[in-house]
Amino acid sequence: PKFMLNEGAPVVQAPSIGPKTAKRLEAVGVKTIADLLALNAELGEQQIDARHISAKVIRDWQAQALLACTVPGMKSREAQALVACGIEDAADLAESDPTHLCEGVAQWGLSDEGQRAWGTAPAPTGDDVATWIERAKRAIQEGKANVAA
């Protein structure tokens, strides 16, 4: 599978970033995924000055975008679920236990945030999670999980 996101893509294509948030980010110079990945989260929080956009939220967006850029086939909702489970990059994913991670993703899927992100898509199975882990391992072995800063 191909990568679902690349560094040159507009920031609005990042997981969790809708048009209104993209406009807030663009107003502080974050126009592409590369800009988002390079953003200092604390400085971004100050510049954006919106109560719901904290440095932690920005770091989560960065981790989601990084996963979508470095793990082939990684969809936005999958990246959101993984970051909610503490997975921040392909290396974290590659080292994960599929059963434990599947349980975590299922728990997150029951939350309000998880239900919004997942929508009507079927919940991931243990095989789906194992596939994500294998793709992360393969990307690391092929050296494709290194996003240029």
Side-chain angles (χ1 to χ4, degrees), residues 1-5 13-16 63-65 67-69 71-83 93 108 117-118 121-122 128 131-132 135:
K2 62 180 180 155
F3 294 97
M4 304 307 281
L5 196 61
Q13 291 181 13
S16 299
Q64 292 166 8
L67 283 165
C69 285
V71 179
M74 179 65 49
K75 295 181 176 86
S76 289
R77 66 177 175 260
E78 296 165 353
Q80 288 173 278
L82 291 172
V83 170
L93 180 55
W108 174 79
W118 213 262
D128 293 330
T131 297
W132 303 342
R135 287 179 181 164

Side-chain angles (χ1 to χ4, degrees), residues 110-126:
L110 298 174
S111 71
D112 289 343
E113 178 189 8
Q115 290 181 3
R116 273 193 310 276
W118 213 262
T120 59
T125 65

Side-chain angles (χ1 to χ4, degrees), residues 7 14 21 23 29 31 37 45 48-50 55-56 73 76 81 92-93 103 111 121 126 144 146 149:
E7 291 184 45
T21 300
K23 286 192 187 325
K31 295 176 176 32
L37 294 173
E45 176 183 7
I48 295 166
D49 194 30
K56 182 194 180 322
S76 289
D92 286 347
L93 180 55
E103 290 169 5
S111 71
K144 294 181 180 171
N146 299 321

